[in-house]
Amino acid sequence: MRLRKIPIDFLWEGLELSGDIYNDRGSVLLLKRGEVLTQDRLDKLSKFERGGYITTSEETYQEILNSGKAPRAALQRVYEEAIGYTALKNDVDSIFSVTRNASEINMEATETVTKDIFTKIKVLDFPKIFQCIDAPREMDENLQRHSLNVAFTNGVIGQWLKLPEPVIKKLVCAGLVHDIGKTKIPEEILNAPRRLTEEEFEIIKAHPVYSYELLWDNVDEDIRLAARHHHERLDGKGYPDQIAGDEISLLARITAISDVYDAMISQRSYKESLIPFDVLEKFKKGEFPGLDERLVDLFVKNMVENYRDVKVQMSDGRIGVVRYIPPNDLNHPIINCNHDVSQTDDKWYCVCIANQTGK
Ligand SMILES: [Fe+2]
């Protein structure tokens, strides 16, 4: 019998087992079919299986996944492993730590990750990518997740714009390295659990120039400039060079949008995270001045189209399907919670927190 690995934190008190449970390797029978999990049994399982996994039959595995009772964070972890996001995040993490320690970017590794992301954008559909981007994250993961997410979002926007493949690859690469200059900013400023002082903010504002300098002049100049100019704004009120309008390249304009989207989705020390629909409404209302309006419109329009019929998890734990997003009220989507989501498609399809009342 084929056994499937499953994290112990997917199990819950009161679960009646429909199949036997074995240890991580499938070699020792731990609990028999029909037994009911008590807290005491769960504690014993966690102690016995220090790796945090047990194994069970395919049927029991599916039943547990489809119950909707497994904690969201654990589901997210398994999901990210399955589609390869975790591996990419680890690669980005190592690129950033090498840069932090050696003040040099491993361009070979960066190009490999760029190619991997490019391939994934072509084969994975929108909800699968945005389930990772929209996921809640730990503060210490912020920089690598952000870089990876901006790379993915840049690539997706490049596809929506029907840009040639080499340009989309540059966009992905620019997303990966746009904030790499932050490795030169002291951690106590970067991760300060409070609003920054004016002097500290000035220090942070140097990071696009650091990114540009860390990308040596043998790196494509379009990528270097996208990194340098991702905080520039069309009205000339950005930084570091305060350039305006056509002086800002298409790659930098796109990176600016992906950067703002991901920054809004993520929790920072000084602000709570927003749900995607809130961020899209802010984009639509023009709450981020100086972005390229034409690109913002395209971004919002495509995001809205792609969120239709996607599974979401509400803040009260219920799972529903986005049925309609009112064009003039993007942050109040109509979500159908009566729909039997387990019957329709892949369990792992997009789950993101929505705080709306379902119908
Ligand atoms: Fe930045």
Side-chain angles (χ1 to χ4, degrees), residues 146 178-179 182 207-208 230-231 239 259:
H146 174 69
H178 75 289
D179 263 353
K182 282 192 175 167
H207 78 270
H230 71 275
H231 286 291
Y239 60 87
D259 181 39

Side-chain angles (χ1 to χ4, degrees), residues 24-92:
D24 185 6
R25 291 177 173 186
S27 54
V28 180
L29 176 64
L30 300 176
L31 288 167
K32 281 192 162 177
R33 174 185 174 180
E35 295 206 55
V36 176
L37 287 181
T38 58
Q39 194 52 52
D40 185 48
R41 280 180 165 154
L42 284 170
D43 293 343
K44 279 185 184 147
L45 277 180
S46 302
K47 261 189 205 153
F48 186 77
E49 283 306 315
R50 291 183 178 277
Y53 286 89
I54 47 104
T55 50
T56 189
S57 68
E58 179 68 34
E59 294 76 33
T60 306
Y61 173 83
Q62 289 298 341
E63 212 179 289
I64 290 169
L65 290 193
N66 289 327
S67 69
K69 289 186 180 170
R72 188 175 182 279
L75 282 171
Q76 184 70 30
R77 213 172 50 238
V78 170
Y79 176 81
E80 289 183 1
E81 261 164 44
I83 69 153
Y85 183 90
T86 311
L88 284 169
K89 198 178 61 167
N90 293 339
D91 291 343
V92 175

Side-chain angles (χ1 to χ4, degrees), residues 85-327:
Y85 183 90
T86 311
L88 284 169
K89 198 178 61 167
N90 293 339
D91 291 343
V92 175
D93 196 22
S94 93
I95 291 169
F96 273 65
S97 53
V98 167
T99 310
R100 193 172 285 115
N101 296 329
S103 284
E104 200 174 305
I105 303 178
N106 180 346
M107 276 318 287
E108 209 176 305
T110 307
E111 274 157 24
T112 306
V113 175
T114 299
K115 267 187 218 149
D116 285 355
I117 296 173
F118 180 77
T119 311
K120 287 207 188 295
I121 289 169
K122 288 215 290 198
V123 296
L124 294 174
D125 49 12
F126 171 92
K128 291 188 173 167
I129 296 172
F130 276 80
Q131 174 166 347
C132 298
I133 292 176
D134 296 340
R137 62 194 83 164
E138 299 294 329
M139 293 288 280
D140 60 357
E141 286 189 329
N142 250 343
L143 190 52
Q144 64 265 39
R145 272 196 101 103
H146 174 69
S147 306
L148 189 49
N149 293 350
V150 173
F152 267 112
T153 312
N154 267 3
V156 169
I157 297 176
Q159 276 198 323
W160 288 338
L161 281 167
K162 299 191 171 55
L163 296 175
E165 286 199 357
V167 181
I168 298 180
K169 279 187 186 152
K170 283 187 199 182
L171 269 171
V172 171
C173 189
L176 271 180
V177 295
H178 75 289
D179 263 353
I180 204 154
K182 282 192 175 167
T183 53
K184 295 185 91 170
I185 309 284
E187 296 240 345
E188 55 277 18
I189 297 180
L190 207 54
N191 297 322
R194 55 179 165 77
R195 275 205 173 273
L196 296 175
T197 63
E198 236 168 76
E199 295 84 62
E200 287 171 333
F201 190 51
E202 286 306 314
I203 295 172
I204 294 256
K205 278 165 72 177
H207 78 270
V209 175
Y210 293 150
S211 297
Y212 181 77
E213 286 169 352
L214 281 164
L215 294 159
W216 290 357
D217 49 15
N218 58 350
V219 176
D220 188 295
E221 189 65 5
D222 293 343
I223 295 171
R224 297 183 79 207
L225 286 174
R228 185 176 179 115
H229 294 153
H230 71 275
H231 286 291
E232 299 291 356
R233 293 296 179 259
L234 297 189
D235 54 13
K237 291 184 179 163
Y239 60 87
D241 299 323
Q242 292 178 318
I243 53 172
D246 290 345
E247 292 172 299
I248 306 168
S249 70
L250 177 68
L251 269 63
R253 292 168 192 225
I254 293 172
T255 309
I257 292 173
S258 306
D259 181 39
V260 170
Y261 179 79
D262 190 69
M264 289 294 114
I265 287 293
S266 69
Q267 191 183 354
R268 298 281 165 101
S269 49
Y270 51 88
K271 70 155 195 72
E272 284 301 310
S273 59
L274 294 179
I275 60 163
F277 306 109
D278 285 339
V279 184
L280 295 176
E281 178 70 8
K282 281 178 181 293
F283 268 115
K284 191 162 169 285
K285 280 187 178 160
E287 288 188 26
F288 309 113
L291 296 175
D292 185 324
E293 278 175 31
R294 211 177 40 89
L295 290 175
V296 168
D297 286 349
L298 172 123
F299 177 68
V300 171
K301 183 175 153 276
N302 279 282
M303 292 290 275
V304 166
E305 264 170 29
N306 278 288
Y307 271 115
R308 203 170 297 133
D309 296 329
V310 154
K311 278 185 200 173
V312 290
Q313 186 171 35
M314 322 281 282
S315 45
D316 63 7
R318 285 179 302 157
I319 292 180
V321 175
V322 177
R323 284 298 178 222
Y324 177 66
I325 305 171

